[in-house]
Amino acid sequence: MLKKSTLVLWGVVLFVAWNALLLFFLWTRPPAFDNHSHLTEEVIRLAQDAELELEHQKDLLQQIHRYSALWSKKRKKVEETGRLPPPAAASNTGALPATEVVPPQSRASPDAVLPVVVIACDRSTVRRCLDKLLHYRPSRERFPIIVSQDCGHEETARVIASYGDAVMHIKQPDLSDIPVPTDHRKFQGYYKIARHYRWALSQVFRTFQYQAAIVVEDDLEVAPDFFEYFQAAFPLLLADPSLWCVSAWNDNGKEQMVEASRPELLYRTDFFPGLGWLLLSELWDELEPKWPRAFWDDWMRQPEQRRGRSCIRPEVSRTMTFGRKGVSHGQFFDQYLKFIKLNDRFVPFTQLDLSYLKKEEYERSFLPKVYNAPQLRVEDLQGNQHRELGTVRVQYSSRDSFKAFAKALGVMDDLKSGVPRAGYRGIVSFLYRGRRVYLAPPSDWTGYDPSWS
C-alpha cells in the first residue's frame, strides 16, 4: 500500500513532468505565420492555451493533495478498527447508480447561524434586494447579511456602503479578464460569475467558518416568509442525506401554474433550482476542489455533482427576479422570469411538520398520488374536457414526447442531463386551467437518461 508521502511525491512529479513537456512543445513548435500580425495572434493564442492548461494542472495538483489527505484519514480509520468501512448503500432516486453517494453527516447544529450571501456586481438596484432582506429579517444574529461585490462598480459600492453595519461588504479582489477559448469570448461574463461565486463561498465557509449559507443574487426580491421558510427547512437538510439544497424557487412558478391559495405546499425536486438556495459547508467541501470555470449552475445539474440527491422547493416561489440587465441580455427575463409569482402570504413553516419531505415518507405519499390519478391526453386537457376527474396525469415516454407535451401545457420544456425543471423522479407537478396535472413518465421508470438534453 502506498504511503501518503509517496502518493504526493508521484503526484508532484507527474505535475512537473506534464508542464515541462507542455512548455517544450510550445517552444519547439515550428512557426506557421508569414508576418508580424500573424506572429502576434499566434503568441497570444499560445499564451491563452498555456494559461488554460496551467489552470487545469493547478486544479489537478489541488485534487492530488485533497485525495492524499482523504486516503490518510481512511488508512487511519482502518488501523484503528482493523477493517475497511462498509460501502454506502445505493439509494433509489433515479440517478445513475455509479454517482450515488451518502454524504457525511453534517457538523452543523439545527440552530446554527445562517448568513445570507448576496452576490453583487454592477447593479445599483441591489438596494431593492437589501431593503426587502432587512425588512423581513427576524434576527440580525441568526441571519447576518454579507454582500460580496465583484466588478468594482463604484455606484453599487456606494449603495452597499450606505447600509453601514447593517450588512457586511466584502469585495472580490481579482477584477481581471479571464483567458477563455476563442469561441467563448462572448461568455466572459459567465466565467467571471463562476470565479466570483467560488471566491465568495470560500470566504463564507473558509474565512468566516460558517456551517451553512443562503445564497441570493443582487436582482432578487424575497417574500415575507423567506427567512421562516429556510429556518424551518434547515433541520430537514441536516437530517436527510438524500437532500443537498433547499431552494426558494419554482421553475414552473408562473401565477397561472401554481396554487397560490396553498403557499404552504413544498416538494422535492431532482433539478437544482438556484435563485435563493441554502447549502451546507460539507457540500462546499465537496464542490470547491472541482468548481467549474463557467456556467456553474448548469454544472451543478450534472449527475457527477448531483449524485442522486434532491432539493426542497416551494409551490409558490419565495424569490422573484427584477434584473432584466445581465449576462443573458434580458431575453430569458422577458420571456419567462418576469411572470414568476412571488408569495405574498406569511406561512409559519417553523410550526409545521415537514417530515413528509424526507425521502421515504415523501415517496410513500407522493408516488401513489401521481400514479393513481386518471391518465388524460394533452388534447383533452387543452379542450378542458373531463373536469369531473379532478387531478390528472399526462404520461410521456420519450424525450420528444416530454418536450412536446411540456410546450403544449406551458411547462418549461428544457432538460438538463435528462432532468426536467422542478421534476422529481421525472414527474413535474403544476396547475393547468385550475386543475392539478402531473406530467409523468411510466410507473416503471428506472432513472434519468443524460442524453435527454
Side-chain angles (χ1 to χ4, degrees), residues 89-90 121 138 144 162 189-190 200 210 233 279 285 324 357 359 433:
C121 180
S162 71
Y190 292 98
Y210 286 112
L279 76 158
D285 291 341
R324 187 180 186 280
L357 291 164
K359 183 177 183 297
R433 296 189 176 180

Side-chain angles (χ1 to χ4, degrees), residues 244 286-287 290 299-300 302-307 309:
W244 71 326
E286 175 189 326
L287 298 178
K290 57 179 181 176
W299 175 83
M300 289 279 286
Q302 295 171 359
E304 294 80 7
Q305 280 64 253
R306 191 173 73 83
R307 304 174 84 175
R309 294 168 291 190

Side-chain angles (χ1 to χ4, degrees), residues 81-155:
T81 63
R83 61 185 177 85
L84 287 170
S91 60
N92 184 25
T93 62
L96 298 178
T99 61
E100 292 179 351
V101 296
V102 176
Q105 189 167 353
S106 174
R107 301 183 298 268
S109 61
D111 58 351
V113 174
L114 300 179
V116 179
V117 185
V118 180
I119 304 295
C121 180
D122 59 355
R123 292 187 180 107
S124 58
T125 52
V126 67
R127 184 181 299 279
R128 178 173 171 182
C129 172
L130 294 176
D131 284 348
K132 290 294 186 181
L133 285 170
L134 291 169
H135 178 68
Y136 294 130
R137 180 173 65 171
S139 166
R140 176 174 181 157
E141 292 71 30
R142 182 78 195 274
F143 300 102
I145 296 173
I146 303 170
V147 185
S148 179
Q149 187 189 0
D150 197 2
C151 309
H153 191 250
E154 292 185 4
E155 182 183 354

Side-chain angles (χ1 to χ4, degrees), residues 273-287:
L275 293 171
W277 56 290
L278 168 66
L279 76 158
L280 302 177
S281 60
E282 287 82 4
L283 180 60
W284 186 241
D285 291 341
E286 175 189 326
L287 298 178

